[in-house]
Amino acid sequence: MTMEQNHQPLVSNVHDTALIFEGGGMRASYTSGFVAMLLEQEIYFDYVAGISAGSSLTINYLSRDLDRTRRSFTEFASDPSFGNLRSWLKGEGFFNSEYIYSESPKPGGAIPYDYDAFSRNDAECVIGAFNRDQGKMVYWRRKDIQSFNDLSLRVRASSTVPFLMPVTKIDGEDYVDGGLGSGIAIEPAIEDGYQRFVFVMTRERGFRLSPPARLKIADLLFNHRPIEVEAIKTRYIRYNKVLERIEELERQGRAYVFYPEALDVTLIERDTHRLLEQYQRGYEQAYRELPALLRFLGVNTWGLP
């Protein structure tokens, strides 16, 4: 466990590159291994952004908690309160939102979150969610986060999968999973002046999202939310355009992209043995790619630039 034991500021050492985590539900078990490598190697970016499961990776990285990084997408899935069909039928969500994002991170909870360490980190934190009534992405930054509740509620909003989880309200607005936008928080990083990026993906290189199948049950469930329905139907267009943009940035030498080589779980995977195996695969791949990452960051032997 790497939680800081003092009250000194947590200082970054990568200042010209944005670190961006893709979402993907339990596929983040694989990319948690990449986060673990960054923490072990003390590679600390000063700008970190994430959507959906990527927002959980973001805040675990910013609190520099190696143990929570591993457990969040591996062991935690076996918690009886994590969620299932029964909790979904009760209106709590297939993934129990209240428990996962509000109860378990508290002191004494199943996976307590070190908010003090997060608040002492000087790095920018960007979390994105989709405003389902206005039909647009909203990105919150560190200035919008003044308490643990502010943080947990925004991560919850970013991760609220439509149909599988109840909507999240913030300041009277309804939010659902940021994946309904582009799914990858490149827009705020560019807006904030970044021209170099490290993308941590939960899909293999060359992946493209197909148009969604037309399901009558989905039409019935969302017929009172035409903006949300349209966002779901057209998500693949926005997502694929962002993938093309990332590939172009990589060709230009402006992006380092971590693509999983052996991803073998779905968004809703609950088998902890498989999740832990995915974590280990991601961890091993991250270390294989470490020399290339350091070359991209412009250092040969890691240390403070």
Side-chain angles (χ1 to χ4, degrees):
M1 191 169 180
T2 60
M3 294 169 66
E4 298 289 330
Q5 300 300 315
N6 55 50
H7 297 286
Q8 297 300 312
L10 304 186
V11 180
S12 302
N13 50 28
V14 178
H15 303 291
D16 64 346
T17 304
L19 174 62
I20 301 176
F21 292 107
E22 183 180 12
M26 303 310 290
R27 290 193 295 269
S29 55
Y30 198 103
T31 44
S32 293
F34 185 89
V35 178
M37 179 276 290
L38 293 180
L39 293 176
E40 288 179 350
Q41 294 299 308
E42 299 182 354
I43 301 173
Y44 302 135
F45 291 75
D46 68 356
Y47 189 99
V48 191
I51 288 174
S52 195
S55 66
S56 291
L57 295 176
T58 293
I59 68 166
N60 287 340
Y61 171 76
L62 290 174
S63 69
R64 301 187 183 176
D65 191 335
L66 185 59
D67 186 60
R68 194 175 198 274
T69 292
R70 175 183 56 80
R71 295 179 61 212
S72 292
F73 289 96
T74 55
E75 297 175 11
F76 190 36
S78 66
D79 190 307
S81 299
F82 189 78
N84 50 33
L85 182 59
R86 183 179 298 129
S87 63
W88 180 76
L89 292 172
K90 289 167 61 178
E92 297 170 344
F94 184 82
F95 298 103
N96 188 333
S97 305
E98 180 68 21
Y99 180 74
I100 293 171
Y101 300 105
S102 297
E103 297 302 323
S104 67
K106 291 180 179 178
I111 48 170
Y113 185 73
D114 190 351
Y115 180 75
D116 177 67
F118 171 85
S119 64
R120 287 186 285 112
N121 196 323
D122 67 351
E124 179 64 283
C125 172
V126 182
I127 296 171
F130 187 80
N131 186 310
R132 72 173 189 175
D133 293 315
Q134 297 183 31
K136 67 177 185 179
M137 286 295 297
V138 172
Y139 292 100
W140 297 288
R141 291 167 171 79
R142 188 174 281 275
K143 64 181 176 60
D144 302 304
I145 300 167
Q146 304 299 321
S147 67
F148 165 75
N149 186 61
D150 288 342
L151 179 64
S152 63
L153 198 58
R154 282 156 177 77
V155 174
R156 174 176 172 172
S158 183
S159 308
T160 297
V161 182
F163 182 60
L164 291 181
M165 300 164 73
V167 68
T168 299
K169 280 190 174 291
I170 297 178
D171 297 330
E173 300 282 341
D174 289 349
Y175 291 93
V176 293
D177 197 300
L180 265 67
S182 68
I184 304 166
I186 185 173
E187 297 95 341
I190 292 173
E191 180 182 314
D192 291 339
Y194 282 83
Q195 299 185 31
R196 287 169 54 82
F197 313 88
V198 170
F199 295 100
V200 185
M201 310 294 285
T202 55
R203 294 289 196 177
E204 65 276 13
R205 181 180 291 277
F207 175 83
R208 290 295 186 270
L209 195 62
S210 300
R214 179 70 180 272
L215 299 175
K216 290 185 178 180
I217 188 171
D219 291 338
L220 290 172
L221 288 168
F222 294 109
N223 64 356
H224 61 300
R225 293 287 181 181
I227 295 176
E228 188 173 2
V229 169
E230 184 63 19
I232 292 171
K233 290 179 179 178
T234 58
R235 176 187 174 241
Y236 77 99
I237 299 172
R238 294 183 296 279
Y239 180 68
N240 290 344
K241 284 183 178 179
V242 169
L243 293 180
E244 292 170 3
R245 190 173 191 181
I246 290 171
E247 290 169 358
E248 179 58 28
L249 288 168
E250 187 180 31
R251 285 191 291 271
Q252 294 172 2
R254 294 172 54 196
Y256 184 90
V257 190
F258 178 83
Y259 289 107
E261 293 175 350
L263 191 62
D264 190 31
V265 291
T266 67
L267 177 147
I268 61 173
E269 179 64 60
R270 300 292 293 275
D271 186 320
T272 55
H273 295 291
R274 295 190 67 190
L275 292 170
L276 187 57
E277 179 184 61
Q278 290 293 289
Y279 170 84
Q280 188 62 32
R281 288 180 181 179
Y283 179 81
E284 292 170 357
Q285 181 184 338
Y287 267 98
R288 289 196 303 272
E289 295 194 16
L290 177 59
L293 173 63
L294 294 181
R295 285 194 296 272
F296 175 78
L297 295 176
V299 292
N300 294 317
T301 301
W302 183 245
L304 293 178

